[in-house]
Amino acid sequence: MREKYLFPRSVIRLLLFGWALICLQLLIAGTALSADSPALTPVILISVDTLRADHLSCYGYRGVQTRQIDAIAQGGTLFAEANTQVPLTLPSHVSLLTSTYPFWNGVQDHAEPLAPGAATLATVLKSRGYNTAAFVGGFVLDQRFGLNQGFDFYDSPFDQQGQQGIDPLDLKRPGETVSQAAQRWLEKNSTHPFFVFLHLYDLHTPYKLTAAQRARYGGGGYDAELRYVDEVLGGFWSFLAKKNLLQKTLVIFLADHGESLGEHGESTHGYFTYQCTLRVPLMIHWPTRPTTFPARVAEPVSLIDVAPTILQFLGVPRPGQFQGRSLMDLLSPKTASAPREIYSESVYAQNHYGCRPLRCIRVGHYKYIETPKREFYDLSHDPGESLNLYARQESLALSYRQRLLDLRARYHP
């Protein structure tokens, strides 16, 4: 005979009520967590192509007052010594968004597409429920080159038809047009967690200010274009403020590379690996939170560190492919970290002129460049890299060369 285990109905009702109460509390707690979770923080990544850090007034420049860009650093953190991995637009942005070295991801020159299936900042955030959109100012980042991976909307309306005789790398649209497109998208999508990538290409040659704009911004050339870009970003910043987005959005401002402007005999960028093209601005405007971060960080950092930083701030696990180090450990005075090995390269002259590739590594204020004539600089005393110390400090320089070789061996596919 089967035994029956019976509970009084009052006990069963009590158990059911208790279980329902626990489920309700979990639901409320989960809803509250979703509402306050840092993973729902909106993110805006602004990249101003070809912008030298030392041409911004917040970095000490006196030739132009970039008040609108400077405002991004107010209430945020400015990184004084940020470095790109490649002084070329497409490879630099690939390293930025994938947090990988160019020799690993395979994009080392113009028009080399990123392979499908890459883990990018956009793919990660999209998988977390973000609406993702990109607005690019230059054909060099057109969706055909693979950076559209992970973006729900990738705004790169470049048509090579009817552009006979124009180098495709010179195709661009004004920063104001790019900014307005982003604003229209945000008008419709800012009530949901979003990731916006905004790319301005105006500082990249050839300069295309109209006659009226040249009169407004003080003539032509690099600094006049910079005044224009500063005004465009001021309008975008005002839009974010009017939409009440600034206090809740993580905004990262940077450049993909700098511009030589005649230094070291180079008029533009891409050939050499000197600081005039490798050093870039990097600022993070934090959403309003109880935690206060330092206003300035002096330690040298890399653009491949940006994506891991964003994900750590959001509380999102980083992909295993990411090779950069989050910058969050530099924001706490209680945290001590080892100096970062900052690797940069250029194979442009090799690919197009048959020269040797250039590779360099920076640790602290020393920088080694692997060239047929090896170069070694102390950037704390010689930021313009005018005095090659290799012959005087060969032993120290060779230790840096070994660190460069070890890094490439560690990450080389």
Side-chain angles (χ1 to χ4, degrees), residues 304-364:
I304 62 168
D305 300 330
V306 171
T309 303
I310 294 172
L311 294 185
Q312 182 175 354
F313 180 82
L314 300 177
V316 175
R318 54 181 281 165
Q321 300 96 315
F322 277 20
Q323 295 165 351
R325 290 170 54 187
S326 170
L327 302 173
M328 298 300 291
D329 63 337
L330 298 177
L331 303 175
S332 172
K334 299 179 181 179
T335 304
S337 59
R340 294 163 186 257
E341 295 180 330
I342 298 171
Y343 171 88
S344 302
E345 68 171 39
S346 177
V347 300
Y348 183 83
Q350 178 189 36
N351 291 347
H352 299 274
Y353 300 101
C355 302
R356 292 281 296 273
L358 298 177
R359 302 182 178 97
C360 64
I361 190 167
R362 175 182 182 178
V363 184

Side-chain angles (χ1 to χ4, degrees), residues 81-83 273-279 362 367 379 383 385:
E81 294 291 336
N83 298 259
T273 55
Y274 295 113
Q275 291 302 103
C276 49
T277 60
L278 295 185
R279 185 188 178 208
R362 175 182 182 178
K367 176 181 173 183
L379 298 178
E385 295 161 289

Side-chain angles (χ1 to χ4, degrees), residues 77 286 289-295 331-333:
T77 301
W286 308 101
R289 296 199 183 280
T291 304
T292 300
F293 295 118
L331 303 175
S332 172

Side-chain angles (χ1 to χ4, degrees), residues 232-251:
V232 168
L233 289 174
F236 184 68
W237 204 248
S238 296
F239 167 81
L240 296 178
K242 291 177 182 178
K243 294 289 293 182
N244 296 317
L245 292 175
L246 285 182
Q247 66 269 27
K248 62 180 180 181
T249 303
L250 179 68
V251 182

Side-chain angles (χ1 to χ4, degrees), residues 160-386:
Q160 289 184 272
Q161 301 299 324
Q163 302 286 344
Q164 301 299 325
I166 299 178
D167 187 333
L169 300 181
D170 294 339
L171 292 178
K172 62 170 74 176
R173 54 181 180 152
E176 186 177 7
T177 302
V178 181
S179 173
Q180 289 174 349
Q183 291 176 44
R184 288 193 295 269
W185 187 89
L186 285 167
E187 287 280 6
K188 300 177 181 178
N189 295 276
S190 61
T191 58
H192 188 276
F194 62 82
F195 168 50
V196 164
F197 170 52
L198 181 69
H199 168 252
L200 304 185
Y201 201 60
D202 306 88
L203 281 172
H204 195 289
T205 55
Y207 305 135
K208 294 188 175 182
L209 290 179
T210 65
Q213 288 173 328
R214 288 196 296 273
R216 176 181 177 86
Y217 300 113
Y222 189 85
D223 280 358
E225 294 280 351
L226 179 53
R227 291 186 183 96
Y228 167 74
V229 168
D230 188 60
E231 186 171 286
V232 168
L233 289 174
F236 184 68
W237 204 248
S238 296
F239 167 81
L240 296 178
K242 291 177 182 178
K243 294 289 293 182
N244 296 317
L245 292 175
L246 285 182
Q247 66 269 27
K248 62 180 180 181
T249 303
L250 179 68
V251 182
I252 301 92
F253 175 90
L254 50 79
D256 57 340
H257 55 74
E259 188 79 319
S260 286
L261 299 176
E263 294 185 28
H264 300 281
E266 182 179 27
S267 60
T268 56
H269 58 271
Y271 299 89
F272 301 136
T273 55
Y274 295 113
Q275 291 302 103
C276 49
T277 60
L278 295 185
R279 185 188 178 208
V280 295
L282 173 60
M283 293 177 268
I284 300 179
H285 183 87
W286 308 101
T288 302
R289 296 199 183 280
T291 304
T292 300
F293 295 118
R296 188 179 182 91
V297 172
E299 287 85 349
V301 299
S302 291
L303 288 188
I304 62 168
D305 300 330
V306 171
T309 303
I310 294 172
L311 294 185
Q312 182 175 354
F313 180 82
L314 300 177
V316 175
R318 54 181 281 165
Q321 300 96 315
F322 277 20
Q323 295 165 351
R325 290 170 54 187
S326 170
L327 302 173
M328 298 300 291
D329 63 337
L330 298 177
L331 303 175
S332 172
K334 299 179 181 179
T335 304
S337 59
R340 294 163 186 257
E341 295 180 330
I342 298 171
Y343 171 88
S344 302
E345 68 171 39
S346 177
V347 300
Y348 183 83
Q350 178 189 36
N351 291 347
H352 299 274
Y353 300 101
C355 302
R356 292 281 296 273
L358 298 177
R359 302 182 178 97
C360 64
I361 190 167
R362 175 182 182 178
V363 184
H365 56 85
Y366 283 114
K367 176 181 173 183
Y368 170 81
I369 305 178
E370 177 80 344
T371 70
K373 182 181 179 181
R374 296 170 180 173
E375 300 177 37
F376 189 62
Y377 298 101
D378 181 351
L379 298 178
S380 63
H381 295 97
D382 181 25
E385 295 161 289
S386 60

Side-chain angles (χ1 to χ4, degrees), residues 53-62 64-67 70:
D54 61 4
H55 272 244
L56 296 175
S57 48
C58 57
Y59 280 83
Y61 189 54
R62 295 295 174 260
V64 176
Q65 287 298 313
T66 51
R67 295 183 179 89
D70 296 352

Side-chain angles (χ1 to χ4, degrees), residues 30-51:
T31 303
L33 178 62
S34 298
D36 298 330
S37 171
L40 294 182
T41 300
V43 179
I44 297 177
L45 175 61
I46 302 173
S47 173
V48 176
D49 211 289
T50 324
L51 175 58

